[in-house]
């Protein structure tokens, strides 16, 4: 990716979180304010960003329109969303959909409940492979070659006392996930958050995605979340069925 395209993508990602000043964007990119201004002017002229009355820059209307126009291309998200919304309403926790894209896993959808604490995860962002339940649910069902490729050079950054910090430990957890049929995040990224997750299969019986139920530990610990495992199983089976998956005879 050329430097200018990479910087433009960084700007769009940055201002999508909240409107930013020219100085904030320059600092984020590590460039002079004049360089940031030139890029912002181009993005604003094309409608991808817009300048607010307070001189901060935010997402442009054209970008929002492109996102809506392209949404129909994301078939899995469209298929899954109704059942994910229903699951979220019933369990009153946050529900995530993550998909396998090449050799990375990204969040494709996130169902949050009104009044609940917002979690760090963002749609379109890569999932941490060694902490997240959705990543373990997907990795546990990949062949050895695919898993090795995805984990080659991977850094097992510790975030909490429960974080998995080695390939050997992750392999052991993936084996437990295969045996159990579902994955967990036991406060491995944030000490006050945990989740359970299960995989989604496509028509070729390949695991291509996963769904998780994520909660504050004070609201529901792993034992409480495990009570939702049968319902989560129904959800991922329904989505897999809509993708063309059928159980083996």
């Amino acid at each position: 990716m050329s430097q200018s395209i990479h910087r433009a993508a960084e700007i769009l990602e940055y201002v999508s979180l909240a409107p930013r000043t020219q100085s904030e964007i320059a600092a984020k990119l590590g460039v002079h304010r004049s360089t940031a201004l030139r890029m912002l002017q181009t993005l604003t002229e094309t409608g991808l960003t817009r300048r607010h009355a307070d001189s901060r820059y935010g997402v442009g209307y054209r970008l929002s329109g492109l996102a809506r126009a392209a949404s129909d291309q994301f078939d899995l998200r469209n298929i899954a969303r109704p059942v994910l919304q229903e699951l979220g309403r019933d369990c009153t926790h946050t529900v995530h959909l993550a998909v396998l894209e090449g050799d990375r896993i990204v969040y494709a959808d996130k169902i949050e409940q009104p009044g609940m604490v917002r979690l760090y995860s963002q749609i379109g962002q890569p999932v941490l492979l060694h902490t997240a339940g959705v990543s373990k649910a997907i990795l546990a069902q990949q062949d050895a070659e695919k898993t090795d490729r995805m984990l080659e050079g991977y850094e097992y950054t510790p975030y909490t006392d429960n974080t998995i910090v080695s390939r050997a430990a992750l392999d052991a957890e993936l084996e437990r996930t295969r045996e159990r049929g579902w994955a967990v995040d036991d406060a491995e990224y944030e000490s006050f958050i945990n989740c359970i997750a299960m995989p989604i299969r496509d028509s070729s019986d390949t695991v291509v995605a996963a769904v998780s139920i994520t909660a504050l530990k004070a609201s529901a610990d792993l034992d409480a979340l495990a009570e939702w495992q049968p319902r989560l199983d129904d959800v991922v089976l329904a989505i897999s069925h809509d993708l063309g998956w059928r159980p083996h005879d």
Side-chain angles (χ1 to χ4, degrees), residues 3 20 27 43 45 55 71 112 122 149 151 154 209 219 233-234 247 249:
Q3 187 179 54
R20 312 288 186 176
L43 289 170
E45 288 171 2
S55 296
S71 64
E112 294 181 294
Q122 296 176 28
R149 189 165 64 246
L151 295 175
Y154 187 79
S219 175
D233 188 38
D234 289 340
D249 295 331

Side-chain angles (χ1 to χ4, degrees), residues 1-212:
M1 183 185 297
S2 72
Q3 187 179 54
S4 59
I5 294 175
H6 182 75
R7 285 175 173 170
E10 279 194 275
I11 291 173
L12 293 176
E13 183 176 288
Y14 191 42
V15 301
S16 71
L17 300 177
R20 312 288 186 176
T21 66
Q22 178 185 334
S23 295
E24 288 175 325
I25 292 168
K28 174 70 173 177
L29 298 179
V31 300
H32 193 273
R33 290 179 74 254
S34 61
T35 302
L37 178 60
R38 287 195 297 272
M39 299 194 70
L40 285 165
Q41 287 173 333
T42 300
L43 289 170
T44 301
E45 288 171 2
T46 58
L48 298 178
T49 59
R50 63 190 177 97
R51 190 180 184 189
H52 294 217
D54 61 4
S55 296
R56 294 184 302 164
Y57 290 84
V59 173
Y61 294 115
R62 185 183 182 194
L63 182 61
S64 177
L66 289 172
R68 285 195 296 271
S71 64
D72 288 342
Q73 298 180 33
F74 298 94
D75 294 336
L76 175 55
R77 184 184 180 193
N78 290 338
I79 288 170
R81 180 158 260 264
V83 291
L84 298 184
Q85 288 177 320
E86 184 178 359
L87 174 62
R89 286 192 298 267
D90 291 346
C91 73
T92 69
H93 302 306
T94 299
V95 175
H96 289 103
L97 172 68
V99 299
L100 181 62
E101 288 189 347
D103 289 339
R104 68 175 192 160
I105 298 169
V106 300
Y107 289 110
D109 208 351
K110 179 181 183 180
I111 310 298
E112 294 181 294
Q113 305 310 310
M116 301 297 288
V117 175
R118 295 178 65 86
L119 304 181
Y120 70 91
S121 51
Q122 296 176 28
I123 296 173
Q125 291 298 303
V127 181
L128 289 172
L129 300 182
H130 67 306
T131 65
V134 285
S135 60
K136 295 171 195 167
I138 293 172
L139 279 172
Q141 303 300 327
Q142 304 304 310
D143 60 38
E145 181 180 353
K146 175 80 168 179
T147 303
D148 287 343
R149 189 165 64 246
M150 293 179 68
L151 295 175
E152 183 179 1
Y154 187 79
E155 294 185 9
Y156 298 85
T157 303
Y159 295 99
T160 73
D161 291 342
N162 289 357
T163 303
I164 292 171
V165 293
S166 70
R167 173 65 189 272
L170 180 58
D171 284 342
E173 181 60 25
L174 295 180
E175 180 59 32
R176 284 190 289 271
T177 297
R178 280 188 288 272
E179 293 173 354
R180 186 172 48 213
W182 46 285
V184 303
D185 171 355
D186 185 11
E188 296 167 43
Y189 180 73
E190 293 179 298
S191 60
F192 53 91
I193 291 175
N194 50 197
C195 85
I196 63 170
M198 299 189 73
I200 293 171
R201 298 178 180 273
D202 66 9
S203 59
S204 66
D205 200 34
T206 300
V207 168
V208 295
V211 176
S212 69

